[in-house]
Amino acid sequence: MTATASPVSPLLPPHLPPTLPHPRGPLSAHVLDRLHGPPGQPPAGPLPAPAPDHAPPTAWDDDLQLALYLCYELHYRGFAGVDPGWEWDPDLLRLRGHLERCFLTELRRVTDPLPLPDEALAGLLAADPGGPDSPSHHLLTAGERRQAAEYLVHRSLYHLKEADPQMWVVPRLPHPAKAALVAVQYDEYGSGHPERAHALLFARMMADFGLDPAYGRYLDAVPAPALAVVNLMSMFGLHRALRGALVGQFAAVEITSPPGAARLAEAFERLGAGPDGTLFYREHVVADAVHEQQVRLTVIDPLLAEEPELAGDVAFGIAATGAVEDRLARHLLTAWRAGRSSLRTAPRPAAAA
Amino acid sequence: MSATEPRIPRVRLTERGPVLVDGPVEVVLPDGTAMHCDRPVVALCTCRRSRRFPFCDTSHRRRRP
Ligand code: FES
Ligand SMILES: [Fe+2]
Ligand SMILES: [Fe+2]
């Protein structure tokens, strides 16, 4: 925030694609199998697509969420050794469509009935949307350092590409909502100071905790509830039909962030984090207090004035974000209260700490 | 405002929350401390409950006791 807060020697991790993860079932195995070869060829066997009417039991599965994550990552940084042409391979896009319909059906089910957008926003503006039963409360009052590190591993899949999923929506918005959203994004990317991009502040925080800040490094360790949080943004961002939901997602994150970020900064300090280990959350307390005003007053209000028919989608985006975040929170708290790790595999620390 | 006129900074009041000021801006506190802030928009706390005063930290959302 102040001039003194800018880093002297910015940590800029190399812009490398992540390595492919291990499969978690037939869907992700199928996608991985295909990605190893060249795109544009018909698959050897039939697609192991899930039936949409079986959405509730399978939509939250590790297998489906990882398969979806693999499909989406092709639009961001791709994977090491994978032909970038896979991004637009028609067979893979068809499979992605099946997975998305399954996920979307489930999201519609768990958010029914939808509140009005004003009610949804008012709910988020309650003093503490997370409530005392949130991971940040747990980390502040009873958390251990290894749990804080686990939390960063879960969040790394999004925060190391923070703001990227929301960029997809820009060309789909009318003026002036478009310009207002870009103004927020400019701040997410460091307001003209590349080393202050939020993704890089997150990388510095990971390094402070002895974690490897390489992009996608911990994909194998991250379970479905945290994959679903990122998949939701990618799905909303990549579909013009879901642009209202993406704006709702953006608003939900910005509005709920400051109280949780303040708690996490305090918790991490208590758990021995250095200045780099709290900078990301300290920055978000103040930054998102501005962003939430910008999103509500300069993005949502003019967008709904111009396209009032998007109101339901904005409310859906807010509610769906709450649903995936609640699921992740339950997963974390259940594991931590039982004394278990919340990750699939123990995260290997950075090579030299 | 035409493209050739100098830009006039905008100050926007919100209903129950902060004052939004176009950045970059220098905020001078009562004790004379100057704080430089180069965020594109800065939210200045008006409720005086922010723990990051003079910047808003959304503490205004809490109901008054
Ligand atoms: S106006 Fe937001 S904390 Fe005071
Ligand atoms: Fe951010
Ligand atoms: Fe933000």
Side-chain angles (χ1 to χ4, degrees), chain A residues 67-117:
Chain A
L68 201 47
Y69 192 93
L70 291 166
C71 292
Y72 287 144
E73 189 53 45
L74 297 168
H75 297 279
Y76 297 100
R77 229 182 261 201
F79 292 96
V82 169
D83 190 318
W86 276 111
E87 181 184 5
W88 296 107
D89 179 83
D91 288 312
L92 196 57
L93 289 174
R94 190 171 306 121
L95 172 61
R96 195 188 91 184
H98 285 304
L99 307 175
E100 287 175 326
R101 277 188 290 282
C102 188
F103 190 27
L104 204 51
T105 303
E106 173 65 359
L107 289 170
R108 296 261 183 220
R109 189 186 71 81
V110 298
T111 54
D112 184 62
L114 277 180
L116 295 169

Coordinates of all heavy atoms in Angstrom, one line a residue, chain A residues 67-117:
Chain A
A67 N -10.2 -34.4 -14.1 CA -10.3 -34.4 -15.5 C -10.7 -33.1 -16.0 O -10.2 -32.6 -17.0 CB -11.4 -35.5 -15.9
L68 N -11.6 -32.4 -15.3 CA -12.0 -31.0 -15.7 C -10.9 -30.1 -15.6 O -10.6 -29.2 -16.4 CB -13.2 -30.6 -14.8 CG -14.1 -29.5 -15.3 CD1 -14.6 -29.7 -16.7 CD2 -15.4 -29.4 -14.4
Y69 N -10.1 -30.2 -14.5 CA -9.0 -29.3 -14.2 C -8.0 -29.5 -15.4 O -7.4 -28.5 -15.8 CB -8.3 -29.6 -12.9 CG -7.4 -28.6 -12.4 CD1 -7.7 -27.5 -11.6 CD2 -6.0 -28.6 -12.9 CE1 -6.8 -26.5 -11.3 CE2 -5.1 -27.7 -12.5 CZ -5.5 -26.6 -11.7 OH -4.6 -25.6 -11.4
L70 N -7.7 -30.7 -15.8 CA -6.8 -30.9 -16.9 C -7.2 -30.2 -18.1 O -6.4 -29.6 -18.8 CB -6.6 -32.4 -17.1 CG -5.9 -33.2 -16.0 CD1 -6.2 -34.7 -16.3 CD2 -4.4 -32.9 -16.0
C71 N -8.5 -30.4 -18.5 CA -9.1 -29.7 -19.7 C -8.9 -28.2 -19.6 O -8.5 -27.6 -20.6 CB -10.5 -30.1 -19.8 SG -10.8 -31.8 -20.2
Y72 N -9.2 -27.6 -18.4 CA -9.1 -26.2 -18.3 C -7.6 -25.7 -18.3 O -7.4 -24.6 -18.8 CB -9.8 -25.7 -17.0 CG -11.3 -25.8 -17.0 CD1 -12.0 -26.1 -15.9 CD2 -12.0 -25.5 -18.2 CE1 -13.4 -26.2 -15.9 CE2 -13.3 -25.5 -18.2 CZ -14.1 -25.9 -17.1 OH -15.4 -26.0 -17.2
E73 N -6.7 -26.4 -17.7 CA -5.4 -25.9 -17.6 C -4.8 -25.7 -19.0 O -3.8 -24.9 -19.2 CB -4.5 -26.9 -16.7 CG -3.1 -26.4 -16.4 CD -3.1 -25.0 -15.8 OE1 -3.9 -24.7 -14.9 OE2 -2.3 -24.1 -16.2
L74 N -5.3 -26.5 -20.0 CA -4.8 -26.3 -21.3 C -5.0 -24.9 -21.8 O -4.3 -24.4 -22.7 CB -5.5 -27.3 -22.3 CG -5.2 -28.8 -22.0 CD1 -6.2 -29.6 -22.8 CD2 -3.8 -29.1 -22.3
H75 N -6.0 -24.1 -21.2 CA -6.3 -22.8 -21.7 C -5.4 -21.8 -20.9 O -5.3 -20.6 -21.3 CB -7.7 -22.4 -21.4 CG -8.7 -23.2 -22.2 ND1 -9.0 -23.0 -23.5 CD2 -9.4 -24.3 -21.8 CE1 -9.9 -23.9 -23.9 NE2 -10.1 -24.7 -22.9
Y76 N -4.7 -22.2 -19.9 CA -3.8 -21.3 -19.1 C -2.4 -21.5 -19.5 O -1.9 -21.0 -20.5 CB -4.0 -21.5 -17.6 CG -5.4 -21.1 -17.1 CD1 -6.3 -22.1 -16.8 CD2 -5.8 -19.8 -16.8 CE1 -7.6 -21.8 -16.3 CE2 -7.0 -19.5 -16.4 CZ -7.9 -20.5 -16.1 OH -9.2 -20.2 -15.6
R77 N -1.7 -22.4 -18.8 CA -0.3 -22.6 -19.1 C 0.0 -23.9 -19.7 O 1.1 -24.2 -20.1 CB 0.5 -22.5 -17.7 CG 1.7 -21.5 -17.8 CD 2.4 -21.5 -16.6 NE 2.1 -20.3 -15.8 CZ 2.9 -19.8 -14.8 NH1 4.0 -20.4 -14.6 NH2 2.5 -18.8 -14.1
G78 N -1.0 -24.8 -19.8 CA -0.8 -26.1 -20.4 C 0.1 -27.0 -19.5 O 0.2 -26.7 -18.3
F79 N 0.6 -28.1 -20.0 CA 1.4 -29.0 -19.2 C 2.7 -29.3 -20.0 O 2.8 -29.3 -21.2 CB 0.7 -30.3 -19.0 CG -0.5 -30.2 -18.1 CD1 -1.8 -30.0 -18.6 CD2 -0.3 -30.2 -16.7 CE1 -2.8 -29.8 -17.8 CE2 -1.4 -30.0 -15.8 CZ -2.7 -29.8 -16.4
A80 N 3.8 -29.5 -19.2 CA 5.1 -29.9 -19.8 C 4.9 -31.1 -20.7 O 4.4 -32.1 -20.3 CB 6.1 -30.1 -18.7
G81 N 5.4 -31.0 -21.9 CA 5.4 -32.1 -22.8 C 4.1 -32.3 -23.5 O 4.0 -33.3 -24.3
V82 N 3.1 -31.5 -23.3 CA 1.8 -31.7 -23.9 C 1.6 -30.7 -25.0 O 1.8 -29.5 -24.9 CB 0.6 -31.5 -22.8 CG1 -0.7 -31.5 -23.5 CG2 0.7 -32.7 -21.8
D83 N 1.2 -31.2 -26.2 CA 1.0 -30.4 -27.4 C 0.0 -29.3 -27.1 O -1.2 -29.6 -26.7 CB 0.5 -31.3 -28.5 CG 0.5 -30.5 -29.9 OD1 0.1 -29.4 -29.9 OD2 1.0 -31.2 -30.9
P84 N 0.3 -28.0 -27.3 CA -0.7 -26.9 -27.0 C -1.9 -27.0 -27.9 O -2.9 -26.4 -27.5 CB 0.1 -25.6 -27.2 CG 1.4 -26.0 -27.9 CD 1.6 -27.5 -27.7
G85 N -1.8 -27.8 -29.0 CA -3.0 -27.9 -29.8 C -4.2 -28.6 -29.2 O -5.3 -28.5 -29.6
W86 N -3.9 -29.3 -28.0 CA -5.0 -30.0 -27.3 C -6.0 -29.0 -26.8 O -7.2 -29.4 -26.6 CB -4.4 -30.7 -26.1 CG -3.9 -32.1 -26.5 CD1 -2.6 -32.5 -26.5 CD2 -4.7 -33.2 -26.9 NE1 -2.6 -33.8 -26.9 CE2 -3.8 -34.3 -27.1 CE3 -6.1 -33.4 -27.1 CZ2 -4.3 -35.6 -27.6 CZ3 -6.5 -34.7 -27.5 CH2 -5.6 -35.7 -27.7
E87 N -5.7 -27.7 -26.7 CA -6.6 -26.7 -26.2 C -7.9 -26.7 -27.0 O -9.0 -26.5 -26.4 CB -6.0 -25.3 -26.2 CG -6.9 -24.3 -25.6 CD -6.3 -22.9 -25.7 OE1 -5.2 -22.7 -26.3 OE2 -6.9 -21.9 -25.2
W88 N -7.8 -26.9 -28.3 CA -9.0 -26.9 -29.2 C -9.3 -28.2 -29.9 O -9.8 -28.2 -30.9 CB -8.8 -25.7 -30.2 CG -8.7 -24.4 -29.5 CD1 -7.6 -23.6 -29.4 CD2 -9.8 -23.7 -28.9 NE1 -7.9 -22.5 -28.7 CE2 -9.3 -22.5 -28.4 CE3 -11.2 -23.9 -28.7 CZ2 -10.0 -21.6 -27.6 CZ3 -11.9 -23.0 -28.0 CH2 -11.4 -21.8 -27.5
D89 N -8.9 -29.3 -29.2 CA -9.2 -30.6 -29.8 C -10.7 -30.9 -29.6 O -11.2 -30.9 -28.5 CB -8.3 -31.7 -29.1 CG -8.6 -33.1 -29.7 OD1 -8.0 -33.4 -30.7 OD2 -9.5 -33.8 -29.1
P90 N -11.4 -31.1 -30.8 CA -12.8 -31.3 -30.7 C -13.3 -32.4 -29.7 O -14.3 -32.3 -29.0 CB -13.3 -31.5 -32.1 CG -12.2 -31.1 -32.9 CD -10.9 -31.2 -32.1
D91 N -12.6 -33.6 -29.8 CA -13.0 -34.7 -28.9 C -12.8 -34.4 -27.4 O -13.7 -34.7 -26.6 CB -12.2 -36.0 -29.3 CG -12.6 -36.5 -30.6 OD1 -13.8 -36.7 -30.8 OD2 -11.7 -36.8 -31.5
L92 N -11.7 -33.7 -27.1 CA -11.5 -33.3 -25.7 C -12.5 -32.3 -25.3 O -13.0 -32.3 -24.2 CB -10.0 -32.8 -25.6 CG -9.5 -32.8 -24.1 CD1 -9.6 -34.2 -23.5 CD2 -8.1 -32.3 -24.0
L93 N -12.8 -31.4 -26.2 CA -13.8 -30.3 -25.8 C -15.2 -31.0 -25.6 O -16.0 -30.6 -24.8 CB -13.9 -29.3 -26.9 CG -12.7 -28.3 -27.0 CD1 -12.9 -27.4 -28.3 CD2 -12.6 -27.5 -25.8
R94 N -15.5 -32.0 -26.4 CA -16.8 -32.7 -26.2 C -16.8 -33.4 -24.8 O -17.8 -33.3 -24.1 CB -16.9 -33.8 -27.3 CG -18.3 -34.4 -27.3 CD -18.6 -35.2 -28.6 NE -18.3 -34.5 -29.8 CZ -17.3 -34.9 -30.7 NH1 -16.7 -36.0 -30.5 NH2 -17.1 -34.2 -31.8
L95 N -15.7 -34.0 -24.5 CA -15.6 -34.7 -23.1 C -15.8 -33.6 -22.1 O -16.5 -33.7 -21.1 CB -14.3 -35.4 -23.0 CG -14.1 -36.0 -21.5 CD1 -15.1 -36.9 -21.1 CD2 -12.7 -36.6 -21.5
R96 N -15.0 -32.5 -22.3 CA -15.1 -31.4 -21.3 C -16.6 -30.9 -21.1 O -17.0 -30.6 -20.0 CB -14.2 -30.2 -21.8 CG -14.0 -29.2 -20.7 CD -13.3 -27.9 -21.2 NE -14.3 -26.9 -21.6 CZ -13.9 -25.8 -22.2 NH1 -12.7 -25.5 -22.4 NH2 -14.9 -24.9 -22.5
G97 N -17.3 -30.8 -22.2 CA -18.7 -30.4 -22.2 C -19.5 -31.4 -21.3 O -20.4 -30.9 -20.5
H98 N -19.3 -32.7 -21.4 CA -20.0 -33.7 -20.6 C -19.7 -33.4 -19.1 O -20.6 -33.3 -18.3 CB -19.5 -35.1 -20.9 CG -20.0 -35.7 -22.1 ND1 -21.4 -35.7 -22.4 CD2 -19.4 -36.2 -23.2 CE1 -21.5 -36.3 -23.6 NE2 -20.3 -36.6 -24.1
L99 N -18.4 -33.2 -18.8 CA -18.0 -33.0 -17.4 C -18.6 -31.7 -16.9 O -19.1 -31.6 -15.7 CB -16.5 -32.9 -17.3 CG -15.7 -34.0 -17.9 CD1 -14.2 -33.8 -17.8 CD2 -16.0 -35.3 -17.2
E100 N -18.6 -30.6 -17.7 CA -19.2 -29.3 -17.3 C -20.7 -29.4 -17.0 O -21.2 -28.9 -16.1 CB -18.9 -28.3 -18.4 CG -17.5 -27.9 -18.5 CD -17.2 -26.9 -19.6 OE1 -17.8 -27.1 -20.7 OE2 -16.3 -26.0 -19.5
R101 N -21.4 -30.2 -17.9 CA -22.8 -30.3 -17.7 C -23.1 -31.0 -16.3 O -24.0 -30.6 -15.6 CB -23.5 -31.0 -18.8 CG -23.8 -30.1 -20.0 CD -24.6 -30.8 -21.1 NE -23.9 -31.8 -21.8 CZ -23.0 -31.6 -22.8 NH1 -22.7 -30.3 -23.1 NH2 -22.4 -32.6 -23.4
C102 N -22.3 -32.0 -16.1 CA -22.4 -32.7 -14.8 C -22.2 -31.8 -13.6 O -23.0 -31.7 -12.7 CB -21.4 -33.8 -14.8 SG -21.5 -35.0 -13.5
F103 N -21.1 -31.0 -13.6 CA -20.8 -30.1 -12.6 C -21.9 -29.0 -12.4 O -22.3 -28.7 -11.4 CB -19.4 -29.5 -12.9 CG -18.8 -28.7 -11.8 CD1 -19.1 -28.9 -10.4 CD2 -17.9 -27.7 -12.1 CE1 -18.5 -28.1 -9.4 CE2 -17.2 -26.9 -11.1 CZ -17.6 -27.2 -9.8
L104 N -22.2 -28.4 -13.6 CA -23.2 -27.3 -13.6 C -24.6 -27.8 -13.1 O -25.2 -27.1 -12.3 CB -23.4 -26.8 -15.0 CG -23.8 -25.4 -15.2 CD1 -23.1 -24.4 -14.4 CD2 -23.7 -25.0 -16.7
T105 N -25.0 -29.0 -13.5 CA -26.3 -29.5 -13.0 C -26.3 -29.6 -11.4 O -27.2 -29.2 -10.8 CB -26.5 -30.9 -13.6 OG1 -26.5 -30.8 -15.0 CG2 -27.8 -31.5 -13.1
E106 N -25.1 -30.1 -10.9 CA -25.0 -30.2 -9.5 C -25.0 -28.8 -8.8 O -25.6 -28.6 -7.7 CB -23.7 -31.0 -9.1 CG -23.4 -31.1 -7.7 CD -24.4 -31.8 -6.8 OE1 -25.4 -32.3 -7.4 OE2 -24.1 -31.9 -5.6
L107 N -24.3 -27.9 -9.4 CA -24.2 -26.5 -8.8 C -25.6 -25.9 -8.8 O -26.0 -25.2 -7.9 CB -23.3 -25.6 -9.6 CG -21.8 -26.0 -9.4 CD1 -20.9 -25.2 -10.4 CD2 -21.3 -25.7 -8.0
R108 N -26.4 -26.1 -9.9 CA -27.8 -25.6 -10.0 C -28.6 -26.2 -8.9 O -29.4 -25.6 -8.2 CB -28.4 -25.9 -11.3 CG -27.7 -25.1 -12.5 CD -28.4 -23.9 -12.9 NE -27.8 -23.2 -14.0 CZ -27.6 -21.9 -14.1 NH1 -28.0 -21.1 -13.2 NH2 -27.0 -21.4 -15.2
R109 N -28.4 -27.5 -8.6 CA -29.2 -28.3 -7.6 C -28.9 -27.7 -6.2 O -29.8 -27.4 -5.5 CB -28.8 -29.8 -7.7 CG -29.7 -30.6 -6.8 CD -29.3 -32.1 -6.8 NE -28.0 -32.3 -6.1 CZ -28.0 -32.4 -4.8 NH1 -29.1 -32.4 -4.0 NH2 -26.8 -32.6 -4.2
V110 N -27.6 -27.5 -5.9 CA -27.3 -27.1 -4.5 C -27.6 -25.7 -4.3 O -27.6 -25.2 -3.1 CB -25.8 -27.5 -4.1 CG1 -25.6 -29.0 -4.2 CG2 -24.8 -26.8 -5.0
T111 N -27.8 -24.9 -5.3 CA -28.0 -23.4 -5.1 C -29.5 -23.1 -5.3 O -29.9 -21.9 -5.3 CB -27.2 -22.6 -6.1 OG1 -27.5 -23.0 -7.4 CG2 -25.7 -22.7 -5.8
D112 N -30.3 -24.1 -5.4 CA -31.8 -23.9 -5.6 C -32.5 -23.9 -4.3 O -32.2 -24.7 -3.4 CB -32.3 -25.0 -6.5 CG -33.8 -24.8 -6.8 OD1 -34.1 -23.8 -7.5 OD2 -34.6 -25.7 -6.4
P113 N -33.4 -22.9 -4.0 CA -33.8 -21.8 -4.8 C -32.8 -20.6 -4.7 O -32.2 -20.4 -3.6 CB -35.1 -21.4 -4.2 CG -35.0 -21.7 -2.7 CD -34.1 -22.9 -2.7
L114 N -32.6 -19.9 -5.8 CA -31.6 -18.8 -5.8 C -32.2 -17.6 -5.1 O -33.4 -17.2 -5.3 CB -31.3 -18.4 -7.3 CG -30.3 -19.2 -8.0 CD1 -30.1 -18.7 -9.4 CD2 -28.9 -19.2 -7.3
P115 N -31.4 -16.8 -4.4 CA -31.9 -15.6 -3.8 C -31.8 -14.5 -4.9 O -31.2 -14.7 -6.0 CB -30.8 -15.2 -2.8 CG -29.6 -15.9 -3.2 CD -30.0 -17.2 -4.0
L116 N -32.4 -13.3 -4.7 CA -32.3 -12.2 -5.6 C -30.9 -11.7 -5.4 O -30.3 -11.9 -4.4 CB -33.3 -11.1 -5.2 CG -34.7 -11.4 -5.4 CD1 -35.6 -10.4 -4.8 CD2 -35.1 -11.6 -6.9
P117 N -30.3 -11.1 -6.5 CA -28.9 -10.6 -6.4 C -28.7 -9.7 -5.2 O -27.7 -9.8 -4.5 CB -28.7 -9.9 -7.7 CG -29.7 -10.4 -8.6 CD -30.9 -10.8 -7.8

